[in-house]
Amino acid sequence: MPRIAVVNKEKCNPQGCGGYLCIRVCPVNREGQDCIVIDTDKKVKIDETLCTGCGICPNRCPFGAIDIINLPEALAHPIHRYGRNGFHLYKLPTPVFGQVVGILGRNGIGKSTALKILAGQLKPNLGGDKECSYDDLIKQFKGTEAQHYFEKLKTGKIKVSYKPQQVDLIPKSAHGTVLDLLKKVDEKGTIQDVMRVLDLDQIKNSDIASISGGELQRVAIAACALKKSNLYVFDEPTSYLDIKQRINVSTFIKSLAAPDVAVIVVEHDLLILDAMCDTIHLMYGKEGTYGVVSLPKATRVGINDYLDGHIRDENMRFRDHTLTFIAREPQQKILKTPVLTEWTDVCKQLDHFTLTIASGRLHKQAAYGILGENGTGKTTFVKMLARILPPDVGEIDASVKVSYKPQYIQTDSEELVATLLQHALQHYEVQLIRPLGIKDLLLKPLHTLSGGELQRVAIAHALSQPADLYLLDEPSAFLDVEQRITCAKVIKEVAAARGTTVLVVDHDLMFIDYLSDNLIVFTGQPATDGKATGPFSMEEGMNTFLKELGITVRREKETQRPRINKLDSRLDREQKAQGKLYYT
Ligand code: SF4
Ligand code: SF4
């Protein structure tokens, strides 16, 4: 059975474990062989050919620095490995001309590595110590679609255009106005069309350094699409976008696929991934240790297998539990528990933006979702509830104790996660620390955390504070699908267990659908005027919101997950005729 041994060098602390504990306990070493030895960097390295997979060292290492994984026979040869005892990637997704191929999987299991190999930006080593040649890759994939792909890549017949994951880094390397930047990459001469479709006309003269995350994302998508290529790769194209923009962007990306053009997308918003892709590859494995790419699947089947944790046609179980959506009828009513807080008709002016909020109230022991386009005042409303901003006209009851997780969480703090989360560690280890996967982060300084790690820490911190009302602004940003579902469950369970109220702003419709009892809906002209109404029952709120978007949503029979109906399909027409745009 093939076996991989991965040593996390950051975690390995030979002094902290009393002096190479793993070497002292390894039965192979005790018999006189060099299975675990001291590496040149004074950390340890493991000889996979000598290791018997007994499991002693990963259990005894006090820092969780070692992973020993027994893999199925089919995974004997990695496509790439990052050095000896480093991350291993097995198999690759296959681009298909004329199709959008999706990749669905956790963070940290090699999606970006796989994309870079396909884009020709990273030459893989097939598990050895040297880069391999295209001929090696062609031989490795003989008889598969990937063979033809690498033959074309070798002969320069594949030109790749790549939209990176971290669009917030773009202003560090690109300067000037949006129009300047896009003109430079406009190889197809379609700049006017693309700017119109992606709603960029209004910001064409803005400096790249001054535009918002959502605008930067659309500029990056436009820049990728304007290049003359036959493989377009989009790494997380919906971060920072609202639902309307996500749907628009997914339609745009779909339109790029042509008989001689392939598109690959990595995406964590399941509703959008589902609507955008023709087929998907699942990726599974262990964060930072190894990742495996499945064979391609029809999108519906692939997503259902992913949620199930079991790839049926490959007979591979990669998770011991199913990610479930609780099937429930859409709430027909608004809640009737006692009132927690209320507000009169409220008005707030911010520069040229006017927000009006119709009078409303929040009830105790309830979960509220907020939906609306970017720039219609959702965050301003939440800040008024959190008493960070006062209303200009009207009143908001200020007597409730509030805990607030802001939308943007950036920090240069050197403080350790464990210090920030001291209270959560003492009181909510089971409810927050474990499910949100924070244990491994405790000894890291806050400024070293990735976007997804920081998000989970901020959620745990907000939910660990004593409060009557928890305000969470975009908690799903930077989280992968599993983390989103876990996070929605944690929020719901914390609110239920403590009898408190939560109010969540988010753009992932599945996430909001999963955790909300009632909805507040924001409408209006982005950046000009916003109007908040509600709370509504889920059915009424979703109907109001989906009407604005012109889409309908149904529930998948097998998993109960929401799915967007194809525009003008039978179900779409039927649901619109019945006025039931939200699943029935
Ligand atoms: Fe010690 Fe763990 Fe490093 Fe081995 S891997 S030397 S047990 S810290
Ligand atoms: Fe040694 Fe391998 Fe056992 Fe670790 S798992 S103690 S390296 S034989």
Side-chain angles (χ1 to χ4, degrees):
M1 181 180 278
R3 179 172 301 121
I4 57 172
V6 173
V7 179
N8 185 324
K9 300 266 179 166
E10 261 182 45
K11 289 184 185 171
C12 175
N13 175 2
Q15 282 169 340
C17 70
Y20 299 103
L21 177 63
C22 51
I23 294 180
R24 288 184 276 124
V25 297
C26 173
V28 182
N29 278 62
R30 288 166 78 106
E31 279 170 12
Q33 297 189 76
D34 287 338
C35 180
I36 312 182
V37 294
I38 301 171
D39 208 347
T40 44
D41 57 5
K42 304 280 184 240
K43 309 285 171 102
V44 294
K45 69 177 176 183
I46 299 175
D47 187 332
E48 287 158 352
T49 57
L50 291 176
C51 170
T52 61
C54 73
I56 291 174
C57 65
N59 277 330
R60 294 292 301 277
C61 172
F63 301 104
I66 300 177
D67 271 307
I68 306 285
I69 310 273
N70 293 319
L71 294 164
E73 216 51 62
L75 298 179
H77 306 290
I79 291 297
H80 189 67
R81 101 179 163 173
Y82 286 100
R84 190 159 173 192
N85 297 151
F87 180 86
H88 290 52
L89 175 69
Y90 294 87
K91 306 188 189 172
L92 284 174
T94 317
V96 180
F97 291 108
Q99 287 195 2
V100 179
V101 175
I103 300 177
L104 172 59
R106 302 209 64 160
N107 285 333
I109 56 167
K111 294 190 297 296
S112 295
T113 301
L115 291 184
K116 281 182 187 154
I117 293 173
L118 289 177
Q121 291 179 1
L122 173 72
K123 275 280 189 68
N125 53 25
L126 299 178
D129 295 326
K130 281 191 284 180
E131 271 185 6
C132 67
S133 65
Y134 280 126
D135 287 330
D136 296 328
L137 279 172
I138 290 163
K139 207 164 129 202
Q140 172 91 5
F141 288 103
K142 204 168 177 359
T144 67
E145 277 282 326
Q147 177 196 344
H148 304 302
Y149 178 78
F150 284 114
E151 278 169 357
K152 285 187 175 152
L153 196 61
K154 179 188 168 191
T155 51
K157 288 186 186 144
I158 298 277
K159 188 164 176 263
V160 184
S161 183
Y162 184 71
K163 199 288 297 172
Q165 179 188 16
Q166 281 187 282
V167 292
D168 46 325
L169 299 181
I170 293 173
K172 290 189 178 155
S173 56
H175 305 282
T177 65
V178 168
L179 192 59
D180 291 341
L181 176 90
L182 294 181
K183 269 185 181 165
K184 269 187 222 157
V185 292
D186 182 21
E187 296 169 357
K188 292 180 181 169
T190 54
I191 189 167
Q192 299 302 338
D193 289 345
V194 169
M195 284 192 15
R196 181 181 44 77
V197 172
L198 293 176
D199 222 359
L200 294 173
D201 282 324
Q202 281 173 347
I203 58 156
K204 66 181 178 190
N205 295 319
S206 304
D207 195 284
I208 290 289
S210 70
I211 61 178
S212 71
E215 289 163 346
L216 214 44
Q217 182 70 270
R218 285 177 286 134
V219 170
I221 292 168
C224 176
L226 285 171
K227 289 182 195 150
K228 239 185 215 162
S229 304
N230 45 9
L231 173 62
Y232 292 94
V233 179
F234 295 93
D235 198 348
E236 300 190 20
T238 71
S239 317
Y240 302 108
L241 301 185
D242 65 36
I243 302 176
K244 191 172 180 183
Q245 292 163 341
R246 287 177 189 203
I247 291 170
N248 190 32
V249 153
S250 71
T251 310
F252 174 72
I253 289 177
K254 223 170 154 49
S255 74
L256 295 174
D260 55 350
V261 178
V263 180
I264 289 201
V265 181
V266 172
E267 181 54 51
H268 295 302
D269 183 328
L270 271 193
L271 213 69
I272 297 297
L273 184 82
D274 189 21
M276 180 166 40
C277 299
D278 298 292
T279 56
I280 59 170
H281 289 270
L282 309 185
M283 280 194 74
Y284 57 92
K286 186 164 184 207
E287 198 180 332
T289 305
Y290 77 105
V292 184
V293 183
S294 80
L295 293 169
K297 326 270 166 216
T299 307
R300 188 187 72 83
V301 174
I303 292 179
N304 288 356
D305 279 2
Y306 189 78
L307 294 171
D308 198 20
H310 181 206
I311 306 175
R312 277 168 278 192
D313 62 355
E314 296 176 42
N315 195 22
M316 169 58 71
R317 178 158 287 286
F318 61 89
R319 200 188 313 107
D320 62 5
H321 60 279
T322 301
L323 303 175
T324 47
F325 298 87
I326 297 165
R328 55 175 187 170
E329 286 295 310
Q331 290 268 356
Q332 306 280 337
K333 298 186 187 116
I334 53 171
L335 290 163
K336 288 290 176 226
T337 48
V339 174
L340 173 73
T341 186
E342 52 194 334
W343 56 89
T344 62
D345 286 346
V346 165
C347 192
K348 180 80 191 167
Q349 186 76 34
L350 289 170
D351 297 329
H352 303 296
F353 175 73
T354 310
L355 172 63
T356 50
I357 302 165
S359 65
R361 54 179 57 160
L362 300 181
H363 290 255
K364 289 185 178 169
Q365 296 175 31
Y368 294 89
I370 294 190
L371 290 173
E373 283 185 57
N374 279 338
T376 53
K378 300 181 301 301
T379 296
T380 306
F381 174 57
V382 171
K383 281 185 176 169
M384 286 199 280
L385 283 174
R387 294 191 285 285
I388 293 169
L389 285 175
D392 297 338
V393 178
E395 277 176 39
I396 294 180
D397 169 18
S399 62
V400 284
K401 196 167 170 49
V402 165
S403 175
Y404 170 55
K405 185 206 80 70
Q407 178 186 15
Y408 293 108
I409 33 174
Q410 274 170 349
T411 177
D412 47 15
S413 167
E414 307 248 319
E415 189 178 33
L416 294 183
V417 172
T419 315
L420 179 76
L421 295 183
Q422 222 167 11
H423 185 70
L425 278 164
Q426 281 162 1
H427 301 281
Y428 302 114
E429 164 129 23
V430 176
Q431 294 100 322
L432 297 174
I433 302 293
R434 277 198 224 159
L436 291 173
I438 289 173
K439 273 229 135 127
D440 272 357
L441 310 176
L442 291 172
L443 296 178
K444 288 190 174 182
L446 290 168
H447 72 97
T448 63
L449 300 182
S450 70
E453 290 170 342
L454 200 55
Q455 184 69 270
R456 285 180 283 142
V457 168
I459 293 168
H461 182 253
L463 291 178
S464 68
Q465 304 303 303
D468 305 310
L469 174 61
Y470 293 92
L471 303 171
L472 305 172
D473 201 347
E474 295 199 28
S476 84
F478 309 113
L479 300 186
D480 64 36
V481 172
E482 291 188 38
Q483 289 164 344
R484 285 177 196 208
I485 292 175
T486 309
C487 172
K489 279 187 180 167
V490 164
I491 294 170
K492 231 176 146 52
E493 281 166 15
V494 164
R498 294 195 219 148
T500 53
T501 296
V502 288
L503 188 138
V504 178
V505 179
D506 211 275
H507 294 305
D508 185 324
L509 207 57
M510 187 191 78
F511 186 80
I512 286 286
D513 175 73
Y514 181 82
L515 63 73
S516 311
D517 298 311
N518 286 171
L519 284 179
I520 297 174
V521 179
F522 279 66
T523 52
Q525 188 63 32
T528 307
D529 59 83
K531 187 172 180 220
T533 42
F536 297 112
S537 69
M538 282 302 279
E539 183 168 304
E540 195 184 349
M542 278 287 191
N543 267 338
T544 308
F545 182 65
L546 297 179
K547 203 168 181 182
E548 291 260 314
L549 297 179
I551 60 166
T552 56
V553 173
R554 70 183 184 283
R555 271 208 188 274
E556 217 280 315
K557 277 204 182 101
E558 214 172 307
T559 59
Q560 299 301 321
R561 69 184 162 92
R563 299 186 77 192
I564 297 174
N565 291 321
K566 228 184 196 147
L567 205 62
D568 230 16
S569 64
R570 184 183 55 80
L571 271 175
D572 184 55
R573 280 183 277 119
E574 274 175 19
Q575 283 185 228
K576 279 178 180 161
Q578 292 167 9
K580 292 193 166 190
L581 311 186
Y582 183 47
Y583 59 82
T584 50

